[in-house]
Amino acid sequence: RKEVEQDPGPFNVPEGATVAFNCTYSNSASQSFFWYRQDCRKEPKLLMSVYSSGNEDGRFTAQLNRASQYISLLIRDSKLSDSATYLCVVSGGSNYKLTFGKGTLLTMNP
Amino acid sequence: ETGVTQSPTHLIKTRGQQVTLRCSSQSGHNTVSWYQQALGQGPQFIFQYYREEENGRGNFPPRFSGLQFPNYSSELNVNALELDDSALYLCASSLGFRGTTGELFFGEGSRLTVL
């Protein structure tokens, strides 16, 4: 079983739609959780951290369920500029290495 | 701009050759991590350096090695290159293992093609 598994995608959605990304992780000792965004042929950049209580940043909402080892990201009122690959990331251990999922490609259609 | 710079940005090598990739971390950051990202995959952790010492290693063979210098810049060396080593190599810096927010700051990467 892979350490971090995401929806395989790709997603092609019309502008304005709500988009949901799902992710599961296998290591119950994982301590921190993130969503990173990666534009085509660019480096990953932090989109948002994910907290057990759930957190929201504008159009983006992230949820964490530790019991189910499940992480989600919701994008409301999606825009053309949201087109990118979304990477689910977990971390833990003494050196705080990041473990990335394979990523889900989102393509927004006008 | 993250302040993390990598060189070279692109390079082509042949099987069996050796390559050195370089990374300058963001000012004030003392920790550098290296990741390999194959096409269509997420980045995979290679190793991390903290204050010039290796501090953790992923599932990569010994022909992947690294260094961190007193100014916290870093090198990734790969010997005996194989076709599967073709990938984007990303360097990430932070202050301490997890920085102040848990965020890692990535450079734009070095894209290696092995023929």
Side-chain angles (χ1 to χ4, degrees):
Chain A
R1 181 182 174 189
K2 290 187 178 179
E3 290 188 71
V4 179
E5 295 205 60
Q6 298 185 234
D7 294 326
F11 292 172
N12 288 279
V13 301
E15 195 175 7
T18 296
V19 188
F21 299 92
N22 301 304
C23 171
T24 57
Y25 60 96
S26 61
N27 185 353
S28 60
S30 298
Q31 299 166 332
S32 301
F33 309 89
F34 310 92
W35 285 99
Y36 272 70
R37 168 189 169 135
Q38 186 172 26
D39 293 315
C40 186
R41 304 186 74 80
K42 305 289 278 183
E43 74 276 20
K45 292 183 179 178
L46 179 67
L47 178 64
M48 60 195 301
S49 301
V50 188
Y51 305 113
S52 296
S53 55
N55 49 299
E56 187 174 308
D57 183 2
R59 298 181 295 109
F60 300 84
T61 301
Q63 297 276 354
L64 167 65
N65 184 322
R66 286 187 183 265
S68 303
Q69 295 178 208
Y70 170 82
I71 307 164
S72 66
L73 174 69
L74 193 73
I75 306 177
R76 292 182 303 279
D77 187 25
S78 54
K79 303 186 183 307
L80 293 178
S81 58
D82 293 332
S83 295
T85 295
Y86 290 82
L87 296 157
C88 177
V89 187
V90 305
S91 75
S94 60
N95 64 3
Y96 196 70
K97 73 166 189 175
L98 298 187
T99 302
F100 287 79
K102 189 175 177 180
T104 303
L105 175 63
L106 171 65
T107 301
M108 299 302 305
N109 303 314
Chain B
E1 293 294 329
T2 64
V4 180
T5 58
Q6 293 186 241
S7 64
T9 54
H10 296 81
L11 69 166
I12 300 173
K13 294 284 189 177
T14 56
R15 273 187 306 175
Q17 285 189 310
Q18 180 266 343
V19 67
T20 297
L21 308 178
R22 296 177 175 83
C23 173
S24 293
S25 58
Q26 186 176 116
S27 177
H29 284 184
N30 56 14
T31 304
V32 172
S33 304
W34 286 91
Y35 289 79
Q36 180 197 64
Q37 186 173 24
L39 194 63
Q41 303 295 317
Q44 300 294 309
F45 176 73
I46 303 175
F47 42 55
Q48 180 187 81
Y49 280 85
Y50 173 67
R51 294 184 174 179
E52 303 178 57
E53 297 285 333
E54 186 180 292
N55 179 50
R57 186 180 183 92
N59 188 26
F60 281 82
R63 60 189 184 83
F64 285 77
S65 63
L67 284 172
Q68 188 179 32
F69 301 99
N71 66 355
Y72 302 134
S73 66
S74 178
E75 286 183 355
L76 164 65
N77 299 290
V78 187
N79 295 322
L81 284 167
E82 301 177 0
L83 296 180
D84 285 349
D85 296 333
S86 295
L88 179 67
Y89 288 85
L90 294 160
C91 169
S93 78
S94 59
L95 178 61
F97 302 155
R98 61 189 303 274
T100 56
T101 62
E103 179 178 2
L104 290 188
F105 295 89
F106 285 90
E108 293 191 358
S110 294
R111 191 168 298 278
L112 171 65
T113 302
V114 182
L115 302 177

